[in-house]
Amino acid sequence: MTGVGHMLLDFLLWLNGRLGKVGKDSAAAKYAVATESNKFSIEDEKPYAELWMGTHPSLPSKDVETQRSLLDLVQDNKALMTVKISEKYGEKLPFLFKILSIRKALSIQAHPNKKLAEHLHAKDPKNYPDDNHKPEMTIAVTPFDGLCGFRPLKELAHFLANVPALRNLIGKDEAEKFEKTVSGRETSSNPEVIEKNKKALQAVFSALMTKDKSTIAAAAKELVKSAQTEGKNFAGGGGPSNDGKELADLVLRLNGQFEGDVGLFVLFYLNYVKLEVGEAMFLKADDIHAYLSGDIIECMASSDNVVRAGFTPKFQDIPTLTSMLTYSYAPISEQKMHPVDYPYVTLNRTAYSSSSSAILYDPPIEEFSVVKTELNCKGAKATFEAVEGPSVIICTAGSGSISVGPKSQPVKAGYVFFVGATAECVLESDSESFTTFKAFCELSGKENANGAS
């Protein structure tokens, strides 16, 4: 494979057969079926949750022409990623690119930092299958909602005061300790105050997470009853980020999926975020989150380490989760990303006249960045300068072609390509709307695009 290889994915991962979108409603399934050589067909009643693109051994991508794995190809030819990247990342692609199609809530979780990942993998390789960290970026392909990062402390204090089931569950003493510590200092920029606030947040969160399941289930019945009867007045009318009716509906929806789960209370601690198509957010290692619904592009450091603690029948590691979190607290606006125009692409006249675009999502890490390209007219063309690192490109809408050097191949929704380092790449539309996402790694010359505020 020189320059460009057609990396078509043979694999889908469905989570417990329950959480992915069903049949053709799943973007992951629709994209996977586009590759005829993988002999995959969509079953109408089956849920499909994830499509992986990369070299991770759990679900490795393959070259359609040779059926060799992408991992074999980049290990045999270090120039495909550059020697520098190959040596730095152990001859593996630095990132894992995914499509997620979420019908029911994914687990409340966080991903360990590098040092903790090494420790967990050595201690428990069954539940922590590799030794890498996993910062990740999410870009909405359809409307998405999730729980991401701890809310501003004033909002949490409001809920502790106005959700009796929550206050009673964690205990009056724990609630009052938290309130006394943070009151009047919720937004302080003093490092010592911030550290005290984080410790108070850790204590009041751990007080919830360490309750036994029967106690949580009993409290959840009280919470659900309040959500059913109070409507817009639920949770004291809500906080500034979410009104009472929205929170009541969320409690009822999630209780229908995971009845009596601790996650029904965790949602008062975390930001409830909605992303419209094209909006994105970045989560550092050790940041808590739970994705609730929607189709998303996800890019992350190449790891499958997950520390879970709710909304799941899988292995839960509550002691690790409560001790590892950053306990940073901020409104969701500080986690949303702010994409910018990608500077290393040339659009032809047809592309310019049709308001085509190439925008860069650039998180504050070196493993990956993502460019979304929308070519809005037949004949619109985007020529990407060579980058000193590997790229993986997926088409999510429309059709066109991809060219690297003299080699050109057709593209349609669901096709995935690997583009080697130092290769100029040209995308051209033969439809009225041609959308692609390109994940890439480049250790030098990376744009500092204010990926996360």
Side-chain angles (χ1 to χ4, degrees), residues 128-144:
Y128 301 104
D130 57 70
D131 62 359
N132 202 14
H133 70 164
K134 193 181 175 184
E136 64 187 33
M137 179 171 64
T138 295
I139 306 171
V141 177
T142 63
F144 161 89

Side-chain angles (χ1 to χ4, degrees), residues 165-284:
L166 173 61
R167 191 178 187 89
N168 293 336
L169 179 58
I170 66 169
K172 179 182 176 183
D173 290 346
E174 289 293 341
E176 288 181 347
K177 285 180 191 175
F178 173 79
E179 291 161 344
K180 183 178 179 180
T181 300
V182 307
S183 180
R185 295 177 285 273
E186 297 95 339
T187 59
S188 173
S189 59
N190 183 310
E192 291 183 6
V193 173
I194 291 173
E195 191 58 33
K196 287 180 181 178
N197 285 348
K198 287 183 176 182
K199 289 185 181 301
L201 177 56
Q202 180 176 9
V204 78
F205 183 67
S206 298
L208 169 66
M209 299 305 296
T210 53
K211 297 297 181 185
D212 64 78
K213 288 188 176 182
S214 61
T215 302
I216 292 168
K221 289 182 179 180
E222 179 187 349
L223 180 70
V224 169
K225 184 177 180 180
S226 296
Q228 290 171 330
T229 58
E230 295 176 9
K232 67 179 182 179
N233 296 319
F234 179 69
S241 301
N242 312 111
D243 63 36
K245 179 66 164 56
E246 184 176 47
L247 289 170
D249 289 346
L250 183 60
V251 167
L252 297 177
R253 170 183 149 201
L254 294 176
N255 188 62
Q257 298 176 10
F258 294 94
E259 185 175 359
D261 193 90
V262 68
L264 302 180
F265 295 96
V266 172
L267 69 86
F268 294 104
Y269 287 75
L270 305 186
N271 290 299
Y272 176 51
V273 59
K274 294 180 178 180
L275 297 180
E276 297 302 322
V277 175
E279 287 191 305
M281 61 185 179
F282 175 70
L283 295 164
K284 300 185 295 294

Side-chain angles (χ1 to χ4, degrees), residues 57-187:
S58 295
L59 291 171
S61 302
K62 293 181 180 180
D63 179 8
V64 163
E65 292 181 5
T66 65
Q67 284 299 295
R68 292 183 66 193
S69 74
L70 178 57
L71 180 61
D72 285 343
L73 291 165
V74 299
Q75 288 180 338
D76 280 356
N77 183 359
K78 291 184 179 181
L80 288 172
M81 297 200 300
T82 74
V83 172
K84 187 176 181 180
I85 288 176
S86 183
E87 291 179 349
K88 183 176 178 67
Y89 293 103
E91 299 184 336
K92 300 172 185 176
L93 201 65
F95 57 83
L96 179 59
F97 210 19
K98 292 184 182 181
I99 300 291
L100 267 61
S101 294
I102 307 158
R103 178 175 57 93
K104 296 176 65 175
L106 306 188
S107 59
I108 295 167
Q109 60 184 258
H111 306 298
N113 60 47
K114 180 66 174 169
K115 184 176 180 181
L116 179 59
E118 291 171 349
H119 170 75
L120 293 173
H121 178 62
K123 177 184 174 183
D124 185 2
K126 178 183 177 182
N127 289 303
Y128 301 104
D130 57 70
D131 62 359
N132 202 14
H133 70 164
K134 193 181 175 184
E136 64 187 33
M137 179 171 64
T138 295
I139 306 171
V141 177
T142 63
F144 161 89
D145 69 340
L147 304 171
C148 302
F150 286 102
R151 293 178 180 270
L153 299 182
K154 196 167 186 176
E155 289 189 31
L156 175 54
H158 169 85
F159 292 132
L160 289 173
N162 288 280
V163 183
L166 173 61
R167 191 178 187 89
N168 293 336
L169 179 58
I170 66 169
K172 179 182 176 183
D173 290 346
E174 289 293 341
E176 288 181 347
K177 285 180 191 175
F178 173 79
E179 291 161 344
K180 183 178 179 180
T181 300
V182 307
S183 180
R185 295 177 285 273
E186 297 95 339
T187 59

